[in-house]
Amino acid sequence: MTAEVLREIVAAAMASPSVHNVQPARWRIEGETLVLLEDTARRLSVGDPRGNDAAISLGAAAEGAVIAASGVGLMTRVERLSGGDPSGLRPIARLTFAPGATPDPLLAVLETRASWRGAFLPPSGEDRAAAQAFAGEDRVILSDPAAIAAAAALYDRASYGIMRGRAFRAELRHWMRLSPRHRDWARDGLNAAAMQLSGIEAAAAGAVLGPLFAPLSALGLAPALLAEASGFANAAAVVLFYRTASEDPFDSGRAFHRLWLEIDAGGLGGNVLAALADDPAAAASLCAAHDIGPDRRLVSALRVGRRDGAPFARARLPLSEVLLD
Ligand SMILES: Cc1cc2nc3c(=O)[nH]c(=O)nc-3n(C[C@H](O)[C@H](O)[C@H](O)COP(=O)(O)O)c2cc1C
């Protein structure tokens, strides 16, 4: 095991998804192991005060490393770490490697998977079949147009409820990069290209989430402006992803990353709908409607479909900032 192999594993794992693209994962090479740390300065203090989304993101990064390691024939043991963070770096897990792995089938899409926030093409029979193939014991696949429309309405309500929080919007805008001139455009956060917004749309989104929110809200116009009907139109399915209620969100994040990679491997694109899981009323309503019992927790949801365009360059921190000395 060389340091170069470990560097390559970390570089590939950096493609993993994270909430608002904050990229909380930091890595350190210790002997022949990799230690995963959380950069706690990247926590979303308003949107994620308990660190649930951070833990999901860190689990996703760990799973990214596990999948990357399989590509060089390495099996990975993931051992959770605990401890304080005097330096702002919280130990999360140690990854130990052993020979004998065959490449994970999801490896092919590890570094190409990306959020798809654009429109979908009308789903073909093949697309619907691809979406049905995501069925599994921890997901419900909603492919009936009426069920997708109901989820869309629930999403818009839940999302608006969350967006009404001024501090939430300020934090979201802090992570939005509305112009390519933003110094962090290619590094982190949500840039206009990733959000599939033109220059004018990006400026409008910044204003609606900023100074115009209160007046538009008072006029009753904000919900319609924030609604995502066009994103749901043509979705082949909405996937509800749930896990055992007591599961550590780090482990949920590992499984969530695998589900998302399955979607890309199936030729479709996905967009996370976290508000459906984060809003208690929306989550309760979906769980009741789709027989997700009280021993289960809705972790997340995605709308999936056939992308109507090409992917874009992803924003990521440089390896030198993520792999610590
Ligand atoms: C816990 C978690 C919550 C997320 N919530 C949302 C969301 O509500 N809406 C959205 O569009 N993307 C959401 N995402 C996707 C991230 O914004 C995305 O992974 C990140 O910007 C990196 O981009 P990429 O997925 O293209 O690699 C979420 C991701 C994670 C891990």
Side-chain angles (χ1 to χ4, degrees):
M1 173 83 59
T2 63
E4 189 46 38
V5 169
L6 296 174
R7 279 173 66 86
E8 279 168 20
I9 291 171
V10 171
M14 285 169 55
S16 305
S18 64
V19 63
H20 286 11
N21 200 21
V22 305
Q23 302 169 61
R26 298 292 174 269
W27 299 89
R28 189 172 275 144
I29 296 175
E30 277 187 19
E32 298 203 326
T33 71
L34 277 175
V35 174
L36 172 62
L37 305 136
E38 175 188 5
D39 180 347
T40 54
R42 316 280 292 184
R43 278 273 179 103
L44 300 172
S45 58
V46 182
D48 184 31
R50 280 167 296 138
N52 176 69
D53 289 352
I56 292 174
S57 305
L58 291 159
E63 191 60 26
V66 171
I67 294 168
S70 78
V72 286
L74 295 172
M75 290 190 301
T76 309
R77 188 161 63 89
V78 180
E79 174 200 353
R80 290 303 307 276
L81 300 176
S82 56
D85 61 337
S87 58
L89 292 170
R90 199 165 69 91
I92 299 296
R94 181 183 299 278
L95 278 60
T96 310
F97 304 96
T102 50
D104 192 306
L106 298 175
L107 179 63
V109 290
L110 176 64
E111 293 182 78
T112 55
R113 178 218 55 81
S115 298
W116 181 257
R117 300 191 182 87
F120 296 122
L121 295 173
S124 64
E126 197 186 323
D127 298 338
R128 291 187 202 283
Q132 279 309 324
F134 305 139
E137 63 174 16
D138 57 6
R139 336 57 216 256
V140 174
I141 314 295
L142 309 179
S143 49
D144 171 44
I148 294 175
L154 211 52
Y155 173 80
D156 282 340
R157 211 163 35 240
S159 179
Y160 180 65
I162 293 169
M163 294 284 184
R164 280 176 66 181
R166 181 195 287 268
F168 181 92
R169 292 197 309 280
E171 188 175 63
L172 174 60
R173 288 176 76 223
H174 171 77
W175 287 99
M176 284 166 68
R177 285 85 179 90
L178 298 175
S179 152
R181 287 190 303 277
H182 192 292
R183 69 189 161 97
D184 294 327
W185 171 270
R187 281 171 51 87
D188 59 12
L190 303 163
N191 69 34
M195 293 185 288
Q196 303 253 336
L197 300 174
S198 67
I200 289 174
E201 288 166 338
V208 170
L209 293 175
L212 292 186
F213 190 89
L216 288 169
S217 203
L219 291 169
L221 295 174
L225 282 168
L226 293 170
E228 293 198 18
S230 62
F232 282 93
N234 293 333
V238 168
V239 180
L240 306 179
F241 175 66
Y242 59 90
R243 302 285 290 180
T244 306
S246 59
E247 183 175 71
D248 184 330
F250 174 86
D251 294 319
S252 309
R254 293 185 63 181
F256 178 61
H257 191 183
R258 295 193 70 83
L259 163 63
W260 200 343
L261 291 170
E262 278 180 50
I263 291 166
D264 280 60
L268 302 183
N271 184 3
V272 178
L273 307 167
L276 287 179
D278 294 345
D279 179 75
S285 147
L286 286 167
C287 288
H290 301 291
D291 286 337
I292 301 172
D295 53 338
R296 299 280 186 270
R297 184 171 66 96
L298 191 62
V299 173
S300 196
L302 296 118
R303 63 177 177 235
V304 304
R306 175 78 50 186
R307 301 174 191 85
D308 81 342
F312 42 85
R314 65 169 73 247
R316 288 294 188 270
L317 297 171
L319 178 62
S320 57
E321 286 182 38
V322 170
L323 182 58
L324 309 173
D325 293 333

